[in-house]
PDB file of all heavy atoms in Angstrom:
ATOM      1  N   VAL A  40     -58.829 -32.300 -53.477  1.00  0.00           N
ATOM      2  CA  VAL A  40     -58.024 -33.482 -53.043  1.00  0.00           C
ATOM      3  C   VAL A  40     -58.686 -34.763 -53.468  1.00  0.00           C
ATOM      4  O   VAL A  40     -59.936 -34.844 -53.614  1.00  0.00           O
ATOM      5  CB  VAL A  40     -57.957 -33.472 -51.393  1.00  0.00           C
ATOM      6  CG1 VAL A  40     -57.329 -34.706 -50.934  1.00  0.00           C
ATOM      7  CG2 VAL A  40     -57.212 -32.230 -50.992  1.00  0.00           C
ATOM      8  N   ALA A  41     -57.785 -35.659 -53.910  1.00  0.00           N
ATOM      9  CA  ALA A  41     -58.245 -37.020 -54.300  1.00  0.00           C
ATOM     10  C   ALA A  41     -57.294 -38.038 -53.627  1.00  0.00           C
ATOM     11  O   ALA A  41     -56.182 -37.703 -53.331  1.00  0.00           O
ATOM     12  CB  ALA A  41     -58.114 -37.104 -55.861  1.00  0.00           C
ATOM     13  N   VAL A  42     -57.909 -39.263 -53.377  1.00  0.00           N
ATOM     14  CA  VAL A  42     -57.036 -40.232 -52.727  1.00  0.00           C
ATOM     15  C   VAL A  42     -57.071 -41.542 -53.541  1.00  0.00           C
ATOM     16  O   VAL A  42     -58.213 -42.018 -53.908  1.00  0.00           O
ATOM     17  CB  VAL A  42     -57.479 -40.497 -51.326  1.00  0.00           C
ATOM     18  CG1 VAL A  42     -56.768 -41.664 -50.677  1.00  0.00           C
ATOM     19  CG2 VAL A  42     -57.398 -39.269 -50.463  1.00  0.00           C
ATOM     20  N   PHE A  43     -55.942 -42.121 -53.814  1.00  0.00           N
ATOM     21  CA  PHE A  43     -55.785 -43.334 -54.618  1.00  0.00           C
ATOM     22  C   PHE A  43     -54.901 -44.325 -53.838  1.00  0.00           C
ATOM     23  O   PHE A  43     -53.868 -43.950 -53.395  1.00  0.00           O
ATOM     24  CB  PHE A  43     -55.213 -42.979 -56.011  1.00  0.00           C
ATOM     25  CG  PHE A  43     -55.870 -41.927 -56.863  1.00  0.00           C
ATOM     26  CD1 PHE A  43     -55.588 -40.598 -56.697  1.00  0.00           C
ATOM     27  CD2 PHE A  43     -56.889 -42.321 -57.600  1.00  0.00           C
ATOM     28  CE1 PHE A  43     -56.231 -39.626 -57.570  1.00  0.00           C
ATOM     29  CE2 PHE A  43     -57.613 -41.453 -58.409  1.00  0.00           C
ATOM     30  CZ  PHE A  43     -57.246 -40.097 -58.347  1.00  0.00           C
ATOM     31  N   ALA A  44     -55.312 -45.563 -53.937  1.00  0.00           N
ATOM     32  CA  ALA A  44     -54.485 -46.649 -53.451  1.00  0.00           C
ATOM     33  C   ALA A  44     -53.988 -47.563 -54.698  1.00  0.00           C
ATOM     34  O   ALA A  44     -54.900 -48.016 -55.364  1.00  0.00           O
ATOM     35  CB  ALA A  44     -55.213 -47.540 -52.441  1.00  0.00           C
ATOM     36  N   GLY A  45     -52.738 -47.606 -54.895  1.00  0.00           N
ATOM     37  CA  GLY A  45     -52.271 -48.273 -56.091  1.00  0.00           C
ATOM     38  C   GLY A  45     -51.064 -49.146 -55.851  1.00  0.00           C
ATOM     39  O   GLY A  45     -50.128 -49.266 -56.579  1.00  0.00           O
ATOM     40  N   GLY A  46     -51.092 -49.872 -54.644  1.00  0.00           N
ATOM     41  CA  GLY A  46     -49.888 -50.736 -54.290  1.00  0.00           C
ATOM     42  C   GLY A  46     -48.896 -49.850 -53.631  1.00  0.00           C
ATOM     43  O   GLY A  46     -49.244 -49.055 -52.728  1.00  0.00           O
ATOM     44  N   PHE A  48     -46.924 -46.991 -52.314  1.00  0.00           N
ATOM     45  CA  PHE A  48     -47.216 -45.611 -52.416  1.00  0.00           C
ATOM     46  C   PHE A  48     -46.020 -44.801 -52.923  1.00  0.00           C
ATOM     47  O   PHE A  48     -46.274 -43.607 -53.366  1.00  0.00           O
ATOM     48  CB  PHE A  48     -47.697 -45.023 -51.113  1.00  0.00           C
ATOM     49  CG  PHE A  48     -46.991 -45.350 -49.776  1.00  0.00           C
ATOM     50  CD1 PHE A  48     -45.619 -45.532 -49.793  1.00  0.00           C
ATOM     51  CD2 PHE A  48     -47.732 -45.358 -48.628  1.00  0.00           C
ATOM     52  CE1 PHE A  48     -44.998 -45.759 -48.595  1.00  0.00           C
ATOM     53  CE2 PHE A  48     -47.068 -45.634 -47.365  1.00  0.00           C
ATOM     54  CZ  PHE A  48     -45.650 -45.832 -47.430  1.00  0.00           C
ATOM     55  N   VAL A  51     -47.020 -44.571 -56.663  1.00  0.00           N
ATOM     56  CA  VAL A  51     -48.230 -43.748 -56.901  1.00  0.00           C
ATOM     57  C   VAL A  51     -47.910 -42.263 -56.733  1.00  0.00           C
ATOM     58  O   VAL A  51     -48.272 -41.451 -57.590  1.00  0.00           O
ATOM     59  CB  VAL A  51     -49.359 -44.179 -55.946  1.00  0.00           C
ATOM     60  CG1 VAL A  51     -50.651 -43.358 -56.185  1.00  0.00           C
ATOM     61  CG2 VAL A  51     -49.665 -45.721 -56.118  1.00  0.00           C
ATOM     62  N   GLU A  52     -47.160 -42.027 -55.719  1.00  0.00           N
ATOM     63  CA  GLU A  52     -46.783 -40.562 -55.427  1.00  0.00           C
ATOM     64  C   GLU A  52     -45.931 -40.059 -56.601  1.00  0.00           C
ATOM     65  O   GLU A  52     -46.176 -38.935 -57.057  1.00  0.00           O
ATOM     66  CB  GLU A  52     -46.040 -40.511 -54.152  1.00  0.00           C
ATOM     67  CG  GLU A  52     -45.525 -39.133 -53.756  1.00  0.00           C
ATOM     68  CD  GLU A  52     -44.527 -39.172 -52.643  1.00  0.00           C
ATOM     69  OE1 GLU A  52     -43.388 -39.541 -52.864  1.00  0.00           O
ATOM     70  OE2 GLU A  52     -44.877 -38.839 -51.500  1.00  0.00           O
ATOM     71  N   PHE A  55     -48.038 -39.328 -59.790  1.00  0.00           N
ATOM     72  CA  PHE A  55     -48.949 -38.163 -59.756  1.00  0.00           C
ATOM     73  C   PHE A  55     -48.147 -36.912 -59.739  1.00  0.00           C
ATOM     74  O   PHE A  55     -48.607 -35.881 -60.271  1.00  0.00           O
ATOM     75  CB  PHE A  55     -49.882 -38.316 -58.589  1.00  0.00           C
ATOM     76  CG  PHE A  55     -51.121 -39.103 -58.869  1.00  0.00           C
ATOM     77  CD1 PHE A  55     -51.312 -40.334 -58.255  1.00  0.00           C
ATOM     78  CD2 PHE A  55     -52.095 -38.605 -59.715  1.00  0.00           C
ATOM     79  CE1 PHE A  55     -52.417 -41.112 -58.570  1.00  0.00           C
ATOM     80  CE2 PHE A  55     -53.238 -39.359 -60.072  1.00  0.00           C
ATOM     81  CZ  PHE A  55     -53.361 -40.595 -59.475  1.00  0.00           C
ATOM     82  N   VAL A  65     -48.913 -36.910 -51.333  1.00  0.00           N
ATOM     83  CA  VAL A  65     -48.460 -37.342 -50.012  1.00  0.00           C
ATOM     84  C   VAL A  65     -48.723 -38.818 -49.813  1.00  0.00           C
ATOM     85  O   VAL A  65     -49.850 -39.260 -49.973  1.00  0.00           O
ATOM     86  CB  VAL A  65     -49.137 -36.489 -48.957  1.00  0.00           C
ATOM     87  CG1 VAL A  65     -48.746 -36.972 -47.560  1.00  0.00           C
ATOM     88  CG2 VAL A  65     -48.826 -35.008 -49.009  1.00  0.00           C
ATOM     89  N   GLY A  67     -49.337 -42.226 -47.729  1.00  0.00           N
ATOM     90  CA  GLY A  67     -49.973 -42.505 -46.439  1.00  0.00           C
ATOM     91  C   GLY A  67     -50.841 -43.713 -46.475  1.00  0.00           C
ATOM     92  O   GLY A  67     -50.603 -44.677 -47.291  1.00  0.00           O
ATOM     93  N   ALA A  69     -55.043 -45.351 -45.939  1.00  0.00           N
ATOM     94  CA  ALA A  69     -56.516 -45.068 -45.907  1.00  0.00           C
ATOM     95  C   ALA A  69     -57.288 -46.441 -45.905  1.00  0.00           C
ATOM     96  O   ALA A  69     -56.804 -47.459 -46.317  1.00  0.00           O
ATOM     97  CB  ALA A  69     -56.942 -44.171 -47.188  1.00  0.00           C
ATOM     98  N   LEU A  89     -54.982 -49.497 -46.560  1.00  0.00           N
ATOM     99  CA  LEU A  89     -54.202 -49.719 -47.777  1.00  0.00           C
ATOM    100  C   LEU A  89     -53.176 -48.582 -47.834  1.00  0.00           C
ATOM    101  O   LEU A  89     -53.409 -47.499 -47.361  1.00  0.00           O
ATOM    102  CB  LEU A  89     -55.091 -49.541 -48.980  1.00  0.00           C
ATOM    103  CG  LEU A  89     -56.395 -50.425 -49.084  1.00  0.00           C
ATOM    104  CD1 LEU A  89     -57.073 -50.184 -50.384  1.00  0.00           C
ATOM    105  CD2 LEU A  89     -56.080 -51.889 -48.862  1.00  0.00           C
ATOM    106  N   GLU A  90     -52.028 -48.871 -48.455  1.00  0.00           N
ATOM    107  CA  GLU A  90     -51.096 -47.794 -48.797  1.00  0.00           C
ATOM    108  C   GLU A  90     -51.800 -46.920 -49.775  1.00  0.00           C
ATOM    109  O   GLU A  90     -52.338 -47.398 -50.773  1.00  0.00           O
ATOM    110  CB  GLU A  90     -49.847 -48.301 -49.401  1.00  0.00           C
ATOM    111  CG  GLU A  90     -49.006 -49.027 -48.357  1.00  0.00           C
ATOM    112  CD  GLU A  90     -47.519 -49.190 -48.819  1.00  0.00           C
ATOM    113  OE1 GLU A  90     -47.064 -48.504 -49.761  1.00  0.00           O
ATOM    114  OE2 GLU A  90     -46.761 -49.891 -48.148  1.00  0.00           O
ATOM    115  N   ALA A  91     -51.749 -45.574 -49.623  1.00  0.00           N
ATOM    116  CA  ALA A  91     -52.591 -44.688 -50.373  1.00  0.00           C
ATOM    117  C   ALA A  91     -51.770 -43.406 -50.579  1.00  0.00           C
ATOM    118  O   ALA A  91     -50.794 -43.194 -49.934  1.00  0.00           O
ATOM    119  CB  ALA A  91     -53.907 -44.420 -49.835  1.00  0.00           C
ATOM    120  N   VAL A  92     -52.190 -42.511 -51.558  1.00  0.00           N
ATOM    121  CA  VAL A  92     -51.575 -41.277 -51.782  1.00  0.00           C
ATOM    122  C   VAL A  92     -52.761 -40.219 -51.912  1.00  0.00           C
ATOM    123  O   VAL A  92     -53.748 -40.396 -52.626  1.00  0.00           O
ATOM    124  CB  VAL A  92     -50.807 -41.241 -53.064  1.00  0.00           C
ATOM    125  CG1 VAL A  92     -50.325 -39.869 -53.412  1.00  0.00           C
ATOM    126  CG2 VAL A  92     -49.516 -42.179 -52.904  1.00  0.00           C
ATOM    127  N   GLN A  93     -52.569 -39.161 -51.175  1.00  0.00           N
ATOM    128  CA  GLN A  93     -53.478 -37.963 -51.188  1.00  0.00           C
ATOM    129  C   GLN A  93     -52.858 -37.023 -52.214  1.00  0.00           C
ATOM    130  O   GLN A  93     -51.796 -36.454 -52.017  1.00  0.00           O
ATOM    131  CB  GLN A  93     -53.584 -37.384 -49.863  1.00  0.00           C
ATOM    132  CG  GLN A  93     -54.612 -36.191 -49.715  1.00  0.00           C
ATOM    133  CD  GLN A  93     -54.586 -35.590 -48.384  1.00  0.00           C
ATOM    134  OE1 GLN A  93     -53.631 -34.906 -48.081  1.00  0.00           O
ATOM    135  NE2 GLN A  93     -55.673 -35.832 -47.662  1.00  0.00           N
ATOM    136  N   VAL A  94     -53.643 -36.760 -53.184  1.00  0.00           N
ATOM    137  CA  VAL A  94     -53.222 -35.788 -54.343  1.00  0.00           C
ATOM    138  C   VAL A  94     -54.034 -34.593 -54.209  1.00  0.00           C
ATOM    139  O   VAL A  94     -55.239 -34.545 -54.240  1.00  0.00           O
ATOM    140  CB  VAL A  94     -53.493 -36.529 -55.675  1.00  0.00           C
ATOM    141  CG1 VAL A  94     -53.160 -35.616 -56.863  1.00  0.00           C
ATOM    142  CG2 VAL A  94     -52.832 -37.886 -55.796  1.00  0.00           C
ATOM    143  N   PHE A  96     -54.699 -31.071 -56.071  1.00  0.00           N
ATOM    144  CA  PHE A  96     -54.654 -30.573 -57.490  1.00  0.00           C
ATOM    145  C   PHE A  96     -55.393 -29.287 -57.745  1.00  0.00           C
ATOM    146  O   PHE A  96     -56.217 -28.965 -56.863  1.00  0.00           O
ATOM    147  CB  PHE A  96     -55.115 -31.663 -58.420  1.00  0.00           C
ATOM    148  CG  PHE A  96     -56.574 -32.071 -58.331  1.00  0.00           C
ATOM    149  CD1 PHE A  96     -57.471 -31.525 -59.161  1.00  0.00           C
ATOM    150  CD2 PHE A  96     -56.948 -32.908 -57.326  1.00  0.00           C
ATOM    151  CE1 PHE A  96     -58.850 -31.951 -59.060  1.00  0.00           C
ATOM    152  CE2 PHE A  96     -58.269 -33.322 -57.172  1.00  0.00           C
ATOM    153  CZ  PHE A  96     -59.215 -32.855 -58.030  1.00  0.00           C
ATOM    154  N   TYR A 103     -60.694 -33.876 -61.905  1.00  0.00           N
ATOM    155  CA  TYR A 103     -60.749 -35.124 -61.074  1.00  0.00           C
ATOM    156  C   TYR A 103     -60.800 -36.288 -62.041  1.00  0.00           C
ATOM    157  O   TYR A 103     -60.139 -37.265 -61.867  1.00  0.00           O
ATOM    158  CB  TYR A 103     -61.868 -35.154 -60.052  1.00  0.00           C
ATOM    159  CG  TYR A 103     -61.903 -36.413 -59.326  1.00  0.00           C
ATOM    160  CD1 TYR A 103     -61.008 -36.764 -58.323  1.00  0.00           C
ATOM    161  CD2 TYR A 103     -62.986 -37.350 -59.612  1.00  0.00           C
ATOM    162  CE1 TYR A 103     -61.036 -37.970 -57.667  1.00  0.00           C
ATOM    163  CE2 TYR A 103     -63.073 -38.513 -58.835  1.00  0.00           C
ATOM    164  CZ  TYR A 103     -62.085 -38.896 -57.892  1.00  0.00           C
ATOM    165  OH  TYR A 103     -62.195 -40.030 -57.261  1.00  0.00           O
ATOM    166  N   ARG A 104     -61.780 -36.224 -63.043  1.00  0.00           N
ATOM    167  CA  ARG A 104     -61.907 -37.322 -63.883  1.00  0.00           C
ATOM    168  C   ARG A 104     -60.646 -37.683 -64.701  1.00  0.00           C
ATOM    169  O   ARG A 104     -60.274 -38.796 -64.911  1.00  0.00           O
ATOM    170  CB  ARG A 104     -63.019 -36.988 -64.925  1.00  0.00           C
ATOM    171  CG  ARG A 104     -63.184 -37.976 -66.126  1.00  0.00           C
ATOM    172  CD  ARG A 104     -63.533 -39.422 -65.731  1.00  0.00           C
ATOM    173  NE  ARG A 104     -63.485 -40.283 -66.815  1.00  0.00           N
ATOM    174  CZ  ARG A 104     -64.526 -40.609 -67.623  1.00  0.00           C
ATOM    175  NH1 ARG A 104     -65.691 -40.037 -67.362  1.00  0.00           N
ATOM    176  NH2 ARG A 104     -64.415 -41.452 -68.579  1.00  0.00           N
ATOM    177  N   GLN A 105     -59.880 -36.632 -65.092  1.00  0.00           N
ATOM    178  CA  GLN A 105     -58.577 -36.881 -65.765  1.00  0.00           C
ATOM    179  C   GLN A 105     -57.603 -37.569 -64.855  1.00  0.00           C
ATOM    180  O   GLN A 105     -56.836 -38.458 -65.318  1.00  0.00           O
ATOM    181  CB  GLN A 105     -58.056 -35.552 -66.247  1.00  0.00           C
ATOM    182  CG  GLN A 105     -58.786 -34.968 -67.380  1.00  0.00           C
ATOM    183  CD  GLN A 105     -58.269 -33.536 -67.797  1.00  0.00           C
ATOM    184  OE1 GLN A 105     -58.149 -32.626 -66.924  1.00  0.00           O
ATOM    185  NE2 GLN A 105     -57.947 -33.350 -68.999  1.00  0.00           N
ATOM    186  N   LEU A 106     -57.604 -37.272 -63.609  1.00  0.00           N
ATOM    187  CA  LEU A 106     -56.688 -37.891 -62.683  1.00  0.00           C
ATOM    188  C   LEU A 106     -57.095 -39.361 -62.523  1.00  0.00           C
ATOM    189  O   LEU A 106     -56.153 -40.231 -62.546  1.00  0.00           O
ATOM    190  CB  LEU A 106     -56.751 -37.234 -61.249  1.00  0.00           C
ATOM    191  CG  LEU A 106     -56.152 -35.872 -61.109  1.00  0.00           C
ATOM    192  CD1 LEU A 106     -56.384 -35.263 -59.765  1.00  0.00           C
ATOM    193  CD2 LEU A 106     -54.696 -35.914 -61.408  1.00  0.00           C
ATOM    194  N   VAL A 107     -58.364 -39.688 -62.438  1.00  0.00           N
ATOM    195  CA  VAL A 107     -58.751 -41.090 -62.315  1.00  0.00           C
ATOM    196  C   VAL A 107     -58.371 -41.890 -63.563  1.00  0.00           C
ATOM    197  O   VAL A 107     -57.914 -42.968 -63.541  1.00  0.00           O
ATOM    198  CB  VAL A 107     -60.292 -41.234 -62.069  1.00  0.00           C
ATOM    199  CG1 VAL A 107     -60.681 -42.739 -61.793  1.00  0.00           C
ATOM    200  CG2 VAL A 107     -60.610 -40.445 -60.732  1.00  0.00           C
ATOM    201  N   ASP A 108     -58.612 -41.173 -64.707  1.00  0.00           N
ATOM    202  CA  ASP A 108     -58.262 -41.870 -65.981  1.00  0.00           C
ATOM    203  C   ASP A 108     -56.738 -42.156 -66.086  1.00  0.00           C
ATOM    204  O   ASP A 108     -56.380 -43.253 -66.478  1.00  0.00           O
ATOM    205  CB  ASP A 108     -58.580 -40.894 -67.177  1.00  0.00           C
ATOM    206  CG  ASP A 108     -60.111 -40.685 -67.444  1.00  0.00           C
ATOM    207  OD1 ASP A 108     -60.870 -41.552 -66.874  1.00  0.00           O
ATOM    208  OD2 ASP A 108     -60.398 -39.784 -68.139  1.00  0.00           O
ATOM    209  N   ARG A 109     -55.918 -41.311 -65.506  1.00  0.00           N
ATOM    210  CA  ARG A 109     -54.543 -41.527 -65.506  1.00  0.00           C
ATOM    211  C   ARG A 109     -54.137 -42.630 -64.559  1.00  0.00           C
ATOM    212  O   ARG A 109     -53.145 -43.417 -64.796  1.00  0.00           O
ATOM    213  CB  ARG A 109     -53.753 -40.232 -65.207  1.00  0.00           C
ATOM    214  CG  ARG A 109     -53.810 -39.124 -66.280  1.00  0.00           C
ATOM    215  CD  ARG A 109     -52.975 -39.464 -67.430  1.00  0.00           C
ATOM    216  NE  ARG A 109     -51.545 -39.340 -67.141  1.00  0.00           N
ATOM    217  CZ  ARG A 109     -50.823 -38.271 -67.163  1.00  0.00           C
ATOM    218  NH1 ARG A 109     -51.403 -37.065 -67.534  1.00  0.00           N
ATOM    219  NH2 ARG A 109     -49.531 -38.332 -66.840  1.00  0.00           N
ATOM    220  N   PHE A 110     -54.798 -42.596 -63.399  1.00  0.00           N
ATOM    221  CA  PHE A 110     -54.444 -43.568 -62.345  1.00  0.00           C
ATOM    222  C   PHE A 110     -54.602 -45.033 -62.871  1.00  0.00           C
ATOM    223  O   PHE A 110     -53.642 -45.833 -62.551  1.00  0.00           O
ATOM    224  CB  PHE A 110     -55.449 -43.372 -61.155  1.00  0.00           C
ATOM    225  CG  PHE A 110     -55.291 -44.432 -60.127  1.00  0.00           C
ATOM    226  CD1 PHE A 110     -54.207 -44.577 -59.328  1.00  0.00           C
ATOM    227  CD2 PHE A 110     -56.456 -45.327 -59.887  1.00  0.00           C
ATOM    228  CE1 PHE A 110     -54.065 -45.587 -58.350  1.00  0.00           C
ATOM    229  CE2 PHE A 110     -56.341 -46.298 -58.915  1.00  0.00           C
ATOM    230  CZ  PHE A 110     -55.126 -46.411 -58.181  1.00  0.00           C
ATOM    231  N   TRP A 111     -55.647 -45.328 -63.583  1.00  0.00           N
ATOM    232  CA  TRP A 111     -55.811 -46.701 -64.031  1.00  0.00           C
ATOM    233  C   TRP A 111     -54.588 -47.191 -64.867  1.00  0.00           C
ATOM    234  O   TRP A 111     -54.100 -48.342 -64.687  1.00  0.00           O
ATOM    235  CB  TRP A 111     -57.027 -46.889 -64.970  1.00  0.00           C
ATOM    236  CG  TRP A 111     -58.263 -46.432 -64.366  1.00  0.00           C
ATOM    237  CD1 TRP A 111     -59.248 -45.609 -64.909  1.00  0.00           C
ATOM    238  CD2 TRP A 111     -58.933 -46.915 -63.110  1.00  0.00           C
ATOM    239  NE1 TRP A 111     -60.274 -45.396 -64.065  1.00  0.00           N
ATOM    240  CE2 TRP A 111     -60.109 -46.238 -62.978  1.00  0.00           C
ATOM    241  CE3 TRP A 111     -58.466 -47.849 -62.184  1.00  0.00           C
ATOM    242  CZ2 TRP A 111     -60.951 -46.441 -61.848  1.00  0.00           C
ATOM    243  CZ3 TRP A 111     -59.328 -47.980 -60.991  1.00  0.00           C
ATOM    244  CH2 TRP A 111     -60.553 -47.336 -60.983  1.00  0.00           C
ATOM    245  N   THR A 113     -51.517 -46.627 -64.504  1.00  0.00           N
ATOM    246  CA  THR A 113     -50.373 -46.815 -63.613  1.00  0.00           C
ATOM    247  C   THR A 113     -50.423 -48.017 -62.692  1.00  0.00           C
ATOM    248  O   THR A 113     -49.507 -48.288 -62.000  1.00  0.00           O
ATOM    249  CB  THR A 113     -50.125 -45.600 -62.740  1.00  0.00           C
ATOM    250  OG1 THR A 113     -51.161 -45.472 -61.688  1.00  0.00           O
ATOM    251  CG2 THR A 113     -50.029 -44.318 -63.525  1.00  0.00           C
ATOM    252  N   ILE A 114     -51.578 -48.793 -62.809  1.00  0.00           N
ATOM    253  CA  ILE A 114     -51.708 -49.910 -61.946  1.00  0.00           C
ATOM    254  C   ILE A 114     -52.144 -51.170 -62.798  1.00  0.00           C
ATOM    255  O   ILE A 114     -52.520 -50.991 -63.963  1.00  0.00           O
ATOM    256  CB  ILE A 114     -52.716 -49.764 -60.800  1.00  0.00           C
ATOM    257  CG1 ILE A 114     -54.144 -49.465 -61.428  1.00  0.00           C
ATOM    258  CG2 ILE A 114     -52.292 -48.498 -59.910  1.00  0.00           C
ATOM    259  CD1 ILE A 114     -55.242 -49.556 -60.406  1.00  0.00           C
ATOM    260  N   ALA A 131     -53.466 -53.639 -51.829  1.00  0.00           N
ATOM    261  CA  ALA A 131     -54.618 -53.655 -52.723  1.00  0.00           C
ATOM    262  C   ALA A 131     -54.873 -52.313 -53.304  1.00  0.00           C
ATOM    263  O   ALA A 131     -54.392 -51.313 -52.804  1.00  0.00           O
ATOM    264  CB  ALA A 131     -55.829 -54.264 -51.920  1.00  0.00           C
ATOM    265  N   THR A 132     -55.686 -52.273 -54.384  1.00  0.00           N
ATOM    266  CA  THR A 132     -55.867 -51.004 -55.064  1.00  0.00           C
ATOM    267  C   THR A 132     -57.311 -50.506 -54.828  1.00  0.00           C
ATOM    268  O   THR A 132     -58.288 -51.276 -54.557  1.00  0.00           O
ATOM    269  CB  THR A 132     -55.686 -51.096 -56.584  1.00  0.00           C
ATOM    270  OG1 THR A 132     -56.418 -52.226 -57.084  1.00  0.00           O
ATOM    271  CG2 THR A 132     -54.226 -51.461 -56.893  1.00  0.00           C
ATOM    272  N   ALA A 133     -57.517 -49.165 -54.927  1.00  0.00           N
ATOM    273  CA  ALA A 133     -58.832 -48.584 -54.753  1.00  0.00           C
ATOM    274  C   ALA A 133     -58.777 -47.111 -55.171  1.00  0.00           C
ATOM    275  O   ALA A 133     -57.689 -46.456 -55.022  1.00  0.00           O
ATOM    276  CB  ALA A 133     -59.349 -48.670 -53.403  1.00  0.00           C
ATOM    277  N   VAL A 134     -59.834 -46.582 -55.559  1.00  0.00           N
ATOM    278  CA  VAL A 134     -60.112 -45.090 -55.611  1.00  0.00           C
ATOM    279  C   VAL A 134     -61.011 -44.795 -54.513  1.00  0.00           C
ATOM    280  O   VAL A 134     -62.124 -45.316 -54.431  1.00  0.00           O
ATOM    281  CB  VAL A 134     -60.711 -44.760 -57.011  1.00  0.00           C
ATOM    282  CG1 VAL A 134     -61.085 -43.262 -57.048  1.00  0.00           C
ATOM    283  CG2 VAL A 134     -59.784 -45.099 -58.152  1.00  0.00           C
ATOM    284  N   PHE A 135     -60.595 -43.946 -53.630  1.00  0.00           N
ATOM    285  CA  PHE A 135     -61.398 -43.410 -52.537  1.00  0.00           C
ATOM    286  C   PHE A 135     -62.120 -42.113 -53.046  1.00  0.00           C
ATOM    287  O   PHE A 135     -61.382 -41.113 -53.205  1.00  0.00           O
ATOM    288  CB  PHE A 135     -60.574 -43.142 -51.320  1.00  0.00           C
ATOM    289  CG  PHE A 135     -60.058 -44.446 -50.642  1.00  0.00           C
ATOM    290  CD1 PHE A 135     -58.813 -44.919 -50.859  1.00  0.00           C
ATOM    291  CD2 PHE A 135     -60.877 -45.206 -49.807  1.00  0.00           C
ATOM    292  CE1 PHE A 135     -58.307 -46.125 -50.337  1.00  0.00           C
ATOM    293  CE2 PHE A 135     -60.430 -46.372 -49.225  1.00  0.00           C
ATOM    294  CZ  PHE A 135     -59.160 -46.793 -49.457  1.00  0.00           C
ATOM    295  N   ALA A 136     -63.342 -42.086 -53.179  1.00  0.00           N
ATOM    296  CA  ALA A 136     -64.091 -40.941 -53.778  1.00  0.00           C
ATOM    297  C   ALA A 136     -65.088 -40.428 -52.839  1.00  0.00           C
ATOM    298  O   ALA A 136     -65.841 -41.176 -52.179  1.00  0.00           O
ATOM    299  CB  ALA A 136     -64.709 -41.360 -55.139  1.00  0.00           C
ATOM    300  N   GLN A 140     -67.372 -36.797 -56.044  1.00  0.00           N
ATOM    301  CA  GLN A 140     -66.356 -37.392 -56.947  1.00  0.00           C
ATOM    302  C   GLN A 140     -66.875 -38.720 -57.550  1.00  0.00           C
ATOM    303  O   GLN A 140     -66.398 -39.136 -58.587  1.00  0.00           O
ATOM    304  CB  GLN A 140     -65.013 -37.593 -56.274  1.00  0.00           C
ATOM    305  CG  GLN A 140     -64.336 -36.309 -55.894  1.00  0.00           C
ATOM    306  CD  GLN A 140     -63.104 -36.547 -55.026  1.00  0.00           C
ATOM    307  OE1 GLN A 140     -63.008 -37.562 -54.281  1.00  0.00           O
ATOM    308  NE2 GLN A 140     -62.145 -35.634 -54.985  1.00  0.00           N
ATOM    309  N   ALA A 144     -65.660 -40.972 -60.955  1.00  0.00           N
ATOM    310  CA  ALA A 144     -64.829 -42.146 -60.717  1.00  0.00           C
ATOM    311  C   ALA A 144     -65.389 -43.356 -61.227  1.00  0.00           C
ATOM    312  O   ALA A 144     -64.772 -44.228 -61.802  1.00  0.00           O
ATOM    313  CB  ALA A 144     -64.535 -42.293 -59.148  1.00  0.00           C
ATOM    314  N   PHE A 170     -57.604 -39.936 -44.337  1.00  0.00           N
ATOM    315  CA  PHE A 170     -56.260 -40.215 -44.885  1.00  0.00           C
ATOM    316  C   PHE A 170     -55.250 -39.970 -43.805  1.00  0.00           C
ATOM    317  O   PHE A 170     -55.308 -38.892 -43.116  1.00  0.00           O
ATOM    318  CB  PHE A 170     -55.924 -39.468 -46.058  1.00  0.00           C
ATOM    319  CG  PHE A 170     -54.591 -39.519 -46.576  1.00  0.00           C
ATOM    320  CD1 PHE A 170     -54.243 -40.608 -47.450  1.00  0.00           C
ATOM    321  CD2 PHE A 170     -53.675 -38.649 -46.294  1.00  0.00           C
ATOM    322  CE1 PHE A 170     -52.946 -40.713 -47.935  1.00  0.00           C
ATOM    323  CE2 PHE A 170     -52.307 -38.692 -46.739  1.00  0.00           C
ATOM    324  CZ  PHE A 170     -51.991 -39.810 -47.597  1.00  0.00           C
TER     325      PHE A 170
END
Side-chain angles (χ1 to χ4, degrees):
V40 172
V42 176
F43 301 93
F48 50 29
V51 178
E52 181 191 77
F55 276 109
V65 177
L89 308 184
E90 289 199 12
V92 171
Q93 184 184 72
V94 178
F96 63 100
Y103 176 74
R104 170 64 187 267
Q105 288 173 310
L106 288 176
V107 182
D108 289 346
R109 292 285 292 271
F110 171 67
W111 304 127
T113 67
I114 66 167
T132 55
V134 174
F135 290 97
Q140 293 170 337
F170 173 84

